[in-house]
Amino acid sequence: MDSPAFDHHTHIPGTTVFDGTQAMKGYGLNKMCYSFNKAENREAFVAGEEGYMDKYGLTEAQKQACRDRNVLAMIEEGGNIYYLAKFAGIFKLSVQDVGAQQTGVTTEEFKQKLLDAGKD
Amino acid sequence: MARILGGITTSHIPSVGSAIANELFDDPYWKPFFDGYPKIHAWLDEHKPDLVINIYNDHGLGFFLDQMPTFAIGAAHECRNEDEGWGLPALDPFPGAPEVSWHIIESIVADEFDITSCQELAVDHGFVVPMQLFWPGAPANPDMPRAIPISANTVQHPIPTLKRALAFGRALRKALLSYPEDLKVVVLGTGGLSHQLDGERAGFINKEFDLYCLEHIVHDPDKLTEISRMELVEKAGAQGTEFLMWMMMRGALGGDVTEITRNYHIPISNTASGTLLLECAA
């Protein structure tokens, strides 16, 4: 479903504006990730990922993105980074690990890029 | 009458909490960041506010997408910190000031800001990290003022405009100044500056834009209201929209402010960190 009069998706390279269109698409995925605020839910997910994803009604594309731990694919399927950060936390991924994965570099290279941004 | 002493902004990066716990104040990575705080500590020690209005953005602890308030005002007896998914130990609750919260709510709704009032609101790193930075040991610091959380939505677009954020701050100022009891108030604006966590542009930082915002927010915040929300996403990064909280803080300070200290450092985690202390005219 789209919100055609308010299409925010074409203007900023490498950036998905999380708006109503994305919110509709990603609701189940984000709701699952929100549940990971609680330790018992993180443990339940680790104990049985497929059943846990079914419980939140994830689409097949969302499930595959989760199985692959593929952050860009999760965003494509409507994931919001603030909730995805809780998913990443289960696997002890830092925001630099997540940044590196999305930009196709190693975590060390990603950290160096951030340090370089402060040099000029 | 309540009096607004000043406003303080700071980034609220989650890893700051663990850096504090591990006392990395002189660590080469962290020192340029922590060096921004001693002058703020001295100012708070001198003025000892009774109340802190902590304007932050929730990151998916207090609110989910099922019900997403654009502006929310906490009115609880205490502000509870909870696990936000990473298993970090929660801080003890921060004492609230519900009678002042309700005064603000009454005044600000009369001014046609249709806020959401919250008698329960779990507060995340956006709220607690600044408290830990400004009042070491918080909430156990003996000078810890009572606290009122105000959260603005930066999770899901449409987010409020910079113009609306500044106007909200001005309405907050009016509310606070009309509170009948003597209270010394400090207003925090937390988050920012430029950063982006998501997408192929993750790691984006924009020093030039941050310095422009830092410069104008002191004496000409209205100039910044010319920045559209999509321009803010483009120039500050997807999560740099947290600059909205700085604008809300600034609106609460009135026209006449003195800059006491500022600090700007790249990077802490994925973020260009910024700190600013503005004192209101007596």
Side-chain angles (χ1 to χ4, degrees):
Chain A
M1 210 182 293
D2 257 338
S3 186
F6 292 95
D7 179 3
H8 299 303
H9 290 274
T10 55
H11 312 304
I12 305 166
T15 304
T16 302
V17 172
F18 187 85
D19 61 1
T21 299
Q22 293 305 98
M24 285 189 278
K25 191 175 186 180
Y27 192 74
L29 171 60
N30 290 318
K31 189 170 179 178
M32 179 181 84
C33 292
Y34 177 69
S35 80
F36 297 147
N37 278 326
K38 293 196 185 317
E40 61 263 34
N41 293 336
R42 300 195 290 273
E43 288 158 15
F45 177 80
V46 170
E49 292 191 19
E50 293 298 325
Y52 201 87
M53 291 193 289
D54 281 336
K55 190 174 139 191
Y56 283 89
L58 269 61
T59 65
E60 183 51 35
Q62 289 170 340
K63 287 180 184 175
Q64 194 56 46
C66 292
R67 290 180 197 119
D68 295 340
R69 322 293 189 228
N70 183 334
V71 176
L72 285 178
M74 294 171 87
I75 292 169
E76 172 67 27
E77 295 308 321
N80 176 296
I81 194 66
Y82 288 129
Y83 304 104
L84 299 184
K86 302 170 197 297
F87 176 90
I90 294 177
F91 305 102
K92 305 288 178 213
L93 296 173
S94 72
V95 287
Q96 283 83 45
D97 295 324
V98 170
Q101 188 200 92
Q102 295 178 99
T103 54
V105 298
T106 67
T107 299
E108 285 314 307
E109 286 167 341
F110 188 78
K111 286 182 176 173
Q112 189 58 50
K113 181 187 152 188
L114 291 163
L115 288 168
D116 291 345
K119 281 181 183 159
D120 37 72
Chain B
M1 301 291 281
R3 193 159 62 87
I4 300 170
L5 303 171
I8 322 174
T9 60
T10 180
S11 306
H12 57 219
I13 304 143
S15 59
V16 170
S18 55
I20 291 172
N22 294 311
E23 299 183 352
L24 300 180
F25 309 116
D26 292 319
D27 176 274
Y29 181 87
W30 286 99
K31 191 174 186 325
F33 172 79
F34 283 119
D35 280 352
Y37 296 89
K39 279 187 183 168
I40 296 172
H41 295 157
W43 187 85
L44 286 169
D45 193 47
E46 183 188 341
H47 294 284
K48 291 194 171 35
D50 307 301
L51 177 72
V52 52
I53 310 287
N54 186 321
I55 302 173
Y56 75 110
N57 57 298
D58 179 76
H59 305 73
L61 177 71
F63 301 112
F64 177 58
L65 304 174
D66 57 344
Q67 295 160 15
M68 178 56 68
T70 296
F71 293 112
I73 300 181
H77 289 275
E78 58 181 26
C79 309
R80 283 176 297 102
N81 178 220
E82 291 178 4
D83 183 359
E84 52 186 298
W86 309 314
L88 303 174
L91 300 186
D92 289 336
F94 290 75
E99 76 286 8
V100 188
S101 293
W102 283 108
H103 175 83
I104 294 168
I105 291 165
E106 286 283 358
S107 175
I108 216 160
V109 174
D111 266 344
E112 300 175 344
F113 283 85
D114 305 313
I115 57 84
T116 300
S117 59
C118 304
Q119 292 208 72
E120 287 193 54
L121 176 60
V123 290
D124 69 10
H125 65 270
F127 176 96
V128 303
V129 164
M131 298 297 216
Q132 292 176 286
L133 283 167
F134 298 146
W135 290 277
N141 187 311
D143 290 334
M144 187 74 226
R146 294 197 294 156
I148 295 175
I150 297 182
S151 179
N153 163 39
T154 55
V155 168
Q156 170 179 273
H157 289 265
I159 60 173
T161 63
L162 287 165
K163 183 180 174 196
R164 191 64 172 161
L166 187 63
F168 184 102
R170 286 172 177 157
L172 174 64
R173 174 178 181 80
K174 184 176 161 192
L176 286 166
L177 296 182
S178 69
Y179 191 70
E181 293 175 23
D182 286 337
L183 268 184
K184 292 183 290 182
V185 184
V186 64
V187 182
L188 310 186
T190 93
L193 289 165
S194 63
H195 64 302
Q196 178 156 336
L197 305 177
D198 51 342
E200 294 88 345
R201 205 172 68 135
F204 174 79
I205 281 175
N206 189 344
K207 184 176 181 177
E208 187 184 350
F209 181 72
D210 287 341
L211 296 180
Y212 176 85
C213 291
L214 272 168
E215 198 50 46
H216 284 84
I217 199 167
V218 180
H219 294 300
D220 192 11
D222 285 284
K223 176 77 180 163
L224 300 174
T225 65
E226 294 169 9
I227 301 167
S228 74
R229 288 167 293 173
M230 285 305 123
E231 193 182 354
L232 187 61
V233 172
E234 183 185 358
K235 293 187 172 167
Q239 283 71 45
T241 53
E242 292 173 342
F243 186 67
L244 280 170
M245 267 47 74
W246 291 48
M247 289 291 274
M248 292 165 71
M249 180 276 316
R250 182 63 187 86
L253 305 186
D256 191 2
V257 296
T258 304
E259 179 177 327
I260 305 294
T261 184
R262 83 163 74 177
N263 190 41
Y264 179 76
H265 174 66
I266 300 170
I268 290 299
S269 189
N270 282 26
T271 304
S273 69
T275 302
L276 189 62
L277 165 54
L278 301 178
E279 185 175 80
C280 296

